[in-house]
Amino acid sequence: MNNNSITSDVLVVGGGLVGAAIAWGLLDRGLTVTVLDEGDIALRASRGNFGLVWVQSKGDKMHEYARWTRRSADLWPDFAEHLAEETGISPSYEKPGGLHFILSEEEDRRVHAQHQRMHNVNGERGYGAEMLDRRQLDELVPGLGPEVISGSYCKHDGHANPLLLLRALHRGLGLRGGRYIPDGRVETLERDGDGFRATTSHGSYLGGRIVLAAGHGNKVLGPMLGLDVPIHPEKGEILVTERVAPLLPMPTHVLRQTNEGTIMIGDSHENTGYSTDSVTPVMSGIAQYAIRCFPALRNLRVVRSWGAVRILSADGFPVYQQSTDFSGAYTINCHSGVTLAAAHAGPLARMIAEGEFEPEITAFSPRRFDHA
Ligand SMILES: Cc1cc2nc3c(=O)[nH]c(=O)nc-3n(C[C@H](O)[C@H](O)[C@H](O)COP(=O)(O)OP(=O)(O)OC[C@H]3O[C@@H](n4cnc5c(N)ncnc54)[C@H](O)[C@@H]3O)c2cc1C
């Protein structure tokens, strides 16, 4: 099959949470969009993550990131409602606030100092997180272990079901007239007239603009269009328990109860390249830490576990770039693709549709690493 005749306003390479959210947002602006996505054996962070929509602690060393994260969290309620109405698939978003359990005096001092540094990060709208002592925590979450001495609570935190989010975005893409090519591993990219040609094993696709949202695949694809993509892999492992009656009223940075009743326990930070293997010592470390926070977990059976690979830059903040050599080419890379999905579908898609990144996101350019 030769698809040379298929031309869209925008080609999006990668149909994970980042590519799908941007494509859905571009379609809302009346553009025609084709999403080219690799097959099932690809690395797919979007199918292996924890599902937090998380604001606290994000962007301590880059306040633009704190503001972008908060902007996305503020957009999430409308985004989730709109997606559910349009597609019939709810991403199961809830915003009960979120907790970070603190187990040592040193950690208490560190998190407290972070709150003080970030208290004005959103100007008058504030940071939104506060320290809670053990008594206040007990009122919020009965059943904590004796080692938990305090906590950090943020009213802007929440969680969603990342697989339903991805499914809803994909269905939304189709309903808005987008084209999704599931076996479309892009092998080469080049200029074609004023636009771009993406070649896969079964033919090529043309687009006026191109957005590289291929996760780790961007490292190979980016340089073909003059885009530097300084990202690296970092594995995280997650355990999932059997379903139980409501135990946790809100998500924490390492534990959350899904709306189906399972408890997700995570996550590790491992430097093992692109491996997604689950490793017993890591899983047992994750479980032990969770039991220290919440001893009732000791009695639950773990029914599933997996490893998945984060997409991280050296400082952990997003890498968004417009190519200067190939006008109309963009690359979008980030950790926190669940949290940022609402910003990607909203303001970021608008900026790409209008052809210009606005100042609020120019800090995410990889040029920040030039003098490192
Ligand atoms: C363990 C773990 C926990 C996490 N927890 C959270 C969390 O709680 N909250 C949160 O907000 N974020 C979390 N994340 C991060 C989040 O999952 C990622 O930021 C997000 O999934 C990135 O999406 P993506 O679309 O960029 O990448 P991916 O999901 O990897 O998608 C990239 C897509 O591009 C395709 N592709 C690759 N190469 C090509 C090619 N050459 N041609 C065509 N297609 C290609 C792949 O097939 C894939 O479908 C977590 C991640 C991990 C690993």
Side-chain angles (χ1 to χ4, degrees):
M1 176 174 123
N2 189 329
N3 293 297
N4 281 343
S5 58
I6 296 179
T7 302
S8 304
D9 293 328
V10 189
L11 289 178
V12 175
V13 184
L17 283 171
V18 170
I22 293 170
W24 189 68
L26 290 170
L27 286 158
D28 197 31
R29 284 158 182 84
L31 297 167
T32 56
V33 179
T34 299
V35 177
L36 299 165
D37 202 12
E38 199 182 349
D40 279 344
I41 52 157
L43 287 171
R44 289 169 151 177
S46 302
R47 285 167 167 79
N49 71 71
F50 198 55
L52 296 176
V53 176
W54 207 246
V55 171
Q56 64 173 301
S57 79
K58 297 278 185 74
D60 185 8
K61 297 210 169 110
M62 188 197 266
H63 288 183
E64 292 88 346
Y65 182 52
R67 289 192 280 273
W68 185 236
T69 299
R70 171 70 182 280
R71 181 158 185 199
S72 196
D74 288 350
L75 290 169
W76 246 99
D78 280 351
F79 168 67
E81 198 182 321
H82 192 158
L83 202 52
E85 269 171 16
E86 189 174 307
T87 66
I89 302 171
S90 164
S92 296
Y93 172 65
E94 287 173 18
K95 192 179 189 176
L99 277 170
H100 175 123
F101 295 138
I102 294 174
L103 274 65
S104 73
E105 296 293 343
E106 188 280 326
E107 194 182 3
D108 185 278
R109 275 193 295 277
R110 186 175 54 71
V111 176
H112 195 221
Q114 185 180 61
H115 281 210
Q116 288 177 325
R117 285 193 300 275
M118 295 186 74
H119 82 281
N120 200 28
V121 75
N122 281 295
E124 285 177 3
R125 292 161 66 240
Y127 173 43
E130 57 185 305
M131 298 299 289
L132 301 184
D133 62 25
R134 176 63 201 238
R135 189 188 49 76
Q136 292 168 304
L137 272 183
D138 285 334
E139 280 168 19
L140 270 184
V141 190
L144 292 177
E147 290 182 73
V148 178
I149 60 169
S150 60
S152 163
Y153 168 78
C154 178
K155 61 186 175 190
H156 302 298
D157 293 334
H159 55 158
N161 180 320
L163 294 179
L164 289 178
L165 169 62
L166 189 61
R167 209 169 117 212
L169 286 168
H170 277 227
R171 183 174 288 176
L173 275 175
L175 291 171
R176 288 182 172 184
R179 182 188 298 271
Y180 175 72
I181 311 293
D183 54 351
R185 182 176 191 278
V186 173
E187 284 158 6
T188 58
L189 294 166
E190 61 198 317
R191 262 272 181 233
D192 190 303
D194 290 340
F196 298 92
R197 175 183 297 271
T199 303
T200 70
S201 59
H202 59 263
S204 58
Y205 296 80
L206 304 175
R209 281 179 237 166
I210 190 159
V211 178
L212 303 185
H216 287 294
N218 280 347
K219 228 177 150 52
V220 177
L221 297 172
M224 297 181 199
L225 296 178
L227 292 159
D228 175 26
V229 186
I231 51 171
H232 64 269
E234 186 196 78
K235 188 168 74 183
E237 294 184 46
I238 290 174
L239 310 178
V240 183
T241 72
E242 61 187 314
R243 294 173 193 207
V244 281
L247 260 182
L248 287 168
M250 64 185 67
T252 82
H253 69 307
V254 289
L255 291 173
R256 75 179 189 93
Q257 186 161 23
T258 66
N259 63 329
E260 290 139 352
T262 59
I263 304 220
M264 292 180 73
I265 308 176
D267 52 0
S268 59
H269 298 267
E270 300 161 65
N271 182 8
T272 51
Y274 295 102
S275 157
T276 56
D277 291 348
S278 295
V279 192
T280 308
V282 175
M283 289 192 286
S284 99
I286 291 170
Q288 278 162 13
Y289 183 82
I291 289 168
R292 286 168 69 199
C293 295
F294 206 73
L297 296 177
R298 190 188 303 279
N299 305 318
L300 300 186
R301 272 175 299 212
V302 169
V303 294
R304 261 198 315 282
S305 76
W306 65 79
V309 183
R310 295 184 187 83
I311 297 152
L312 278 182
S313 63
D315 55 14
F317 304 127
V319 173
Y320 296 170
Q321 193 186 7
Q322 284 182 284
S323 178
T324 42
D325 297 339
F326 295 81
S327 166
Y330 302 81
T331 181
I332 306 297
N333 312 269
C334 68
H335 183 54
S336 300
V338 182
T339 306
L340 295 177
H344 289 164
L348 183 63
R350 178 178 49 71
M351 290 179 218
I352 292 172
E354 291 170 1
E356 203 57 56
F357 281 175
E358 288 168 9
E360 69 174 306
I361 62 163
T362 51
F364 306 145
S365 160
R367 283 196 297 272
R368 69 185 186 268
F369 300 118
D370 286 353
H371 45 80

